[in-house]
Amino acid sequence: MRPRKPLIAAAVAAALTMFWLVGLGTSKASAAQPDHLVVLAGSPHFVAYADFPVPHAGKPDYAHGELHVFSDKGRDRDLGPGFGNVDPATPAPYRFSLVDTSLTGYSSADPTHVKWWDLASNTKGVATLPSGASWQGSAPGGWVIVAADHETVAVETSDGTTTSYGTPIPAEAAALGSIATHSGPSGFVAFGATTGSAMYERWDSIGQTTSLDLGSSAGSSTLSCNNVTGALVGCVDVPAAGGRAVHLAVPLDGSAPRSYPGCSVPSVAVQSKLAWVCPAPHATPRFAAGSHVRKSSVLTTDATGVSGLGGFVTLGPRQRALIAVRNSHSVVDVLVAIPSLIIKLDDGDLRAAANDLAALAVSSGALETAPSDKFPAQVIQTSTVALLRAALARDPSRQPRRTTSIMGRVPHNLRHHVRHRPGHRHITRTRALRPFRHAVPDPGSPGIGVHAVHGGSTAAPFRAPDGVYVQPKLAAISEPTIGMVALRTALGRIGQPYVWAGGGPITFDCSGLTQWAYAHAGIHLVHYTGSQWNQGRLIKPRQILPGDLILFSSWSGGRQLIHHVGMYLGAGWMVNAPYTGQYVNVVKVPSGIAGVVRP
């Protein structure tokens, strides 16, 4: 691989004291011509970008580019060449989409094929689309297509499996139009090109659609939408005849959208917020949430010619806002990460998990209606307790049984186990589903470096205006099981800081959180992931229930070691203490799973 070059031109160097520049590799002398970086797609954990050399003539060499993925762990992975022409000046450049660990690309110049990369297994390939079908974006483990009838949506995977999601907007067929879809982490949004309507359908709820409220832009032919998060889709409506553009944050639950006056550039949704950058000599990001629009106090760049927001994702241990800004006067996509633009503990994932788990509890019959509590941690507790009670009512033996009738189809991210997982003791006894009796002693531990990192053993300084606090106050559970108490204890520590070797009550590392939670439930776990791997029964993903421990492994020194643990909630979510700089939070289950253990 050739040496990396600086990411921004000298005109932006004066602004480096105001924002943090993302470094993608090494660099040469500042006089060298920068590479041409094109941001292709982003997700909460990855940014895919193309890197092209720029000869002395000044025009990027699009024939010799490399595809890269930059992760939230700071790793820059080179996926090699052969990803297709992304030159925006060509008639049909490749478009890319990234959902979970699935990256796909498509060009109308080659309408019968889709290129795919699986970031979890580090594999790639080219697939042939069904006759007349069109690629619409990525999906967990594959990609979304609209069939030749212009109304049927399906998901294809690299192994040839096809899952049909029916006709979200069947009126399109009668109108001889077509639909377009946008993929998100938990589902997709289908837009009717001729009816001006939109529907949301979850990956795990085939045939169950939610009609989206587009407000006054319903039926508008000038409405365009960009991306989908777990909570909303970001859109912009640019009226004809010089009318003022309106940015829309459209919730996926069908509630009324929020509209904000702006400019005719794409809106980008990030978790539960909307963001955009209007062209100006000093372009500045705007962030919209609720009824407020906040202008960043940090200039994106002092260079002129900013043409809008190229992409927006949330990355890194400090949850910085990573922005790709297109500058029409430079060959460089300026990658800027601005700290503190998002609240210290962004509750977007927490709310998305609450919505997913409430929907799962209702669809499985564990709850008649979704919980009405406004606090997401309480919604998660209510939903997980209901799922556990439903599983026990169906099979009171408390032995591992197939639970998909209650927990739904096994999420895609739980199917990717490491190839050679560490040895596990043959343990058959489990206690997590037994009635709770009493806690066991657990003195906790402040962790290593707590005073240097956090200035003392104090609670995380997070307060959100919507009432989601550090240590959420959760309702008591009547006649709980051990697993229910462990879940309630772990959820009650959301927002507390991660510190290595922390075992509560203020700071935690991953195994310290699970030890603390199960100690309050009456089970003593050793404060070490390698030991917790052997302190329960190894069960299959189709037997998983809330409260089970998910453990992860990696290779080190020629051995495969257990290195992380989280507590499963359901619908592909877990609560965990992730890493230094982060807080106890709720996240999607990542790849690298060694196995699932029930204490």
Side-chain angles (χ1 to χ4, degrees):
M1 175 182 170
R2 63 181 179 282
R4 314 285 303 134
K5 301 179 179 66
L7 292 181
I8 27 184
V12 198
L16 287 179
T17 57
M18 304 173 66
F19 53 79
W20 177 66
L21 180 66
V22 176
L24 302 176
T26 60
S27 61
K28 280 190 174 182
S30 58
Q33 181 71 25
D35 282 7
H36 181 49
L37 303 181
V38 178
V39 177
L40 304 174
S43 74
H45 299 289
F46 299 98
V47 174
Y49 70 97
D51 176 17
F52 303 97
V54 181
H56 294 293
K59 181 176 175 57
D61 182 6
Y62 287 106
H64 297 89
E66 295 173 346
L67 181 63
H68 287 255
V69 171
F70 185 62
S71 76
D72 57 359
K73 304 294 192 242
R75 180 185 177 191
D76 186 43
R77 192 190 314 178
D78 185 354
L79 301 184
F83 51 87
N85 191 350
V86 297
D87 183 358
T90 58
Y94 261 82
R95 294 178 293 133
F96 286 82
S97 175
L98 179 57
V99 171
D100 194 23
T101 59
S102 176
L103 173 67
T104 60
Y106 173 84
S107 170
S108 58
D110 184 14
T112 61
H113 296 95
V114 59
K115 296 185 177 182
W116 59 268
W117 294 260
D118 188 331
L119 304 182
S121 61
N122 201 26
T123 56
K124 64 180 180 179
V126 179
T128 301
L129 296 176
S131 177
S134 61
W135 171 91
Q136 296 292 316
S138 294
W143 49 91
V144 184
I145 62 171
V146 171
D149 62 3
H150 302 301
E151 63 172 338
T152 302
V153 177
V155 170
E156 289 193 328
T157 60
S158 57
D159 61 4
T161 304
T162 301
T163 303
S164 175
Y165 284 81
T167 56
I169 308 179
E172 285 298 308
L176 299 178
S178 62
I179 65 174
T181 69
H182 292 281
S183 305
S186 56
F188 66 90
V189 174
F191 292 93
T194 57
T195 60
S197 57
M199 305 290 289
Y200 172 66
E201 187 165 353
R202 298 174 52 83
W203 302 122
D204 56 1
S205 300
I206 298 176
Q208 300 179 21
T209 58
T210 301
S211 179
L212 299 187
D213 186 348
L214 301 178
S216 59
S217 295
S220 171
S221 61
T222 57
L223 178 71
S224 63
C225 299
N226 192 17
N227 72 313
V228 182
T229 69
L232 56 87
V233 56
C235 305
V236 62
D237 193 358
V238 185
R244 189 171 187 181
V246 176
H247 297 275
L248 293 174
V250 182
L252 299 181
D253 61 4
S255 57
R258 289 280 187 178
S259 60
Y260 310 94
C263 52
S264 55
V265 297
S267 301
V268 182
V270 53
Q271 296 185 349
S272 58
K273 295 177 177 61
L274 204 63
W276 64 90
V277 176
C278 293
H282 300 290
T284 306
R286 268 78 169 175
F287 298 89
S291 58
H292 303 288
V293 176
R294 184 154 58 99
K295 182 178 179 180
S296 167
S297 60
V298 182
L299 295 178
T300 303
T301 175
D302 284 336
T304 59
V306 172
S307 58
L309 196 63
F312 191 104
V313 294
T314 302
L315 285 176
R318 297 186 181 180
Q319 292 294 285
R320 300 171 188 257
L322 180 65
I323 303 174
V325 181
R326 301 291 161 80
N327 189 329
S328 59
H329 290 269
S330 170
V331 296
V332 176
D333 277 1
V334 182
L335 298 182
V336 179
I338 305 175
S340 303
L341 291 180
I342 304 176
I343 55 178
K344 179 158 286 188
L345 175 65
D346 195 306
D347 65 332
D349 278 349
L350 189 66
R351 293 190 175 278
N355 292 336
D356 287 354
L357 285 159
L360 175 61
V362 172
S363 64
S364 67
L367 290 175
E368 292 185 0
T369 59
S372 59
D373 198 287
K374 66 178 181 179
F375 299 130
Q378 181 61 57
V379 173
I380 292 174
Q381 175 179 293
T382 302
S383 302
T384 52
V385 167
L387 290 167
L388 278 168
R389 292 197 194 282
L392 285 171
R394 187 159 300 184
D395 180 16
S397 69
R398 301 193 180 98
Q399 293 300 316
R401 295 286 189 271
R402 188 181 184 95
T403 60
T404 51
S405 60
I406 299 295
M407 300 298 295
R409 185 173 58 177
V410 177
H412 175 77
N413 48 3
L414 284 179
R415 302 179 205 155
H416 285 283
H417 287 248
V418 295
R419 289 187 176 182
H420 306 288
R421 60 188 177 195
H424 183 273
R425 287 183 183 174
H426 184 66
I427 297 176
T428 59
R429 191 179 74 161
T430 65
R431 292 182 285 167
L433 300 182
R434 295 181 182 181
F436 168 70
R437 299 301 182 196
H438 54 80
V440 296
D442 182 11
S445 57
I448 305 301
V450 60
H451 299 288
V453 176
H454 295 280
S457 245
T458 57
F462 168 71
R463 292 291 183 272
D466 57 2
V468 181
Y469 300 101
V470 164
Q471 292 180 244
K473 293 182 179 179
L474 301 170
I477 304 171
S478 62
E479 300 180 1
T481 64
I482 289 174
M484 293 176 189
V485 175
L487 279 166
R488 182 179 184 274
T489 306
L491 291 171
R493 312 315 289 175
I494 287 174
Q496 296 293 5
Y498 176 100
V499 173
W500 188 77
I506 302 299
T507 61
F508 297 89
D509 65 8
C510 63
S511 58
L513 177 66
T514 51
Q515 180 197 44
W516 173 268
Y518 267 100
H520 281 71
I523 296 179
H524 173 72
L525 299 178
V526 177
H527 189 170
Y528 174 54
T529 52
S531 296
Q532 291 185 11
W533 171 248
N534 284 304
Q535 287 192 279
R537 181 169 181 169
L538 190 64
I539 65 171
K540 299 176 180 178
R542 64 174 180 266
Q543 300 169 335
I544 198 168
L545 285 172
D548 290 343
L549 301 182
I550 302 181
L551 292 106
F552 303 83
S553 67
S554 60
W555 288 94
S556 177
R559 294 188 303 160
Q560 196 162 19
L561 302 176
I562 301 292
H563 65 84
H564 187 58
V565 61
M567 189 180 296
Y568 191 62
L569 299 171
W573 294 93
M574 71 178 188
V575 58
N576 77 150
Y579 44 81
T580 300
Q582 262 284 10
Y583 299 81
V584 175
N585 59 11
V586 173
V587 298
K588 276 290 188 182
V589 177
S591 59
I593 297 172
V596 180
V597 169
R598 181 170 301 162

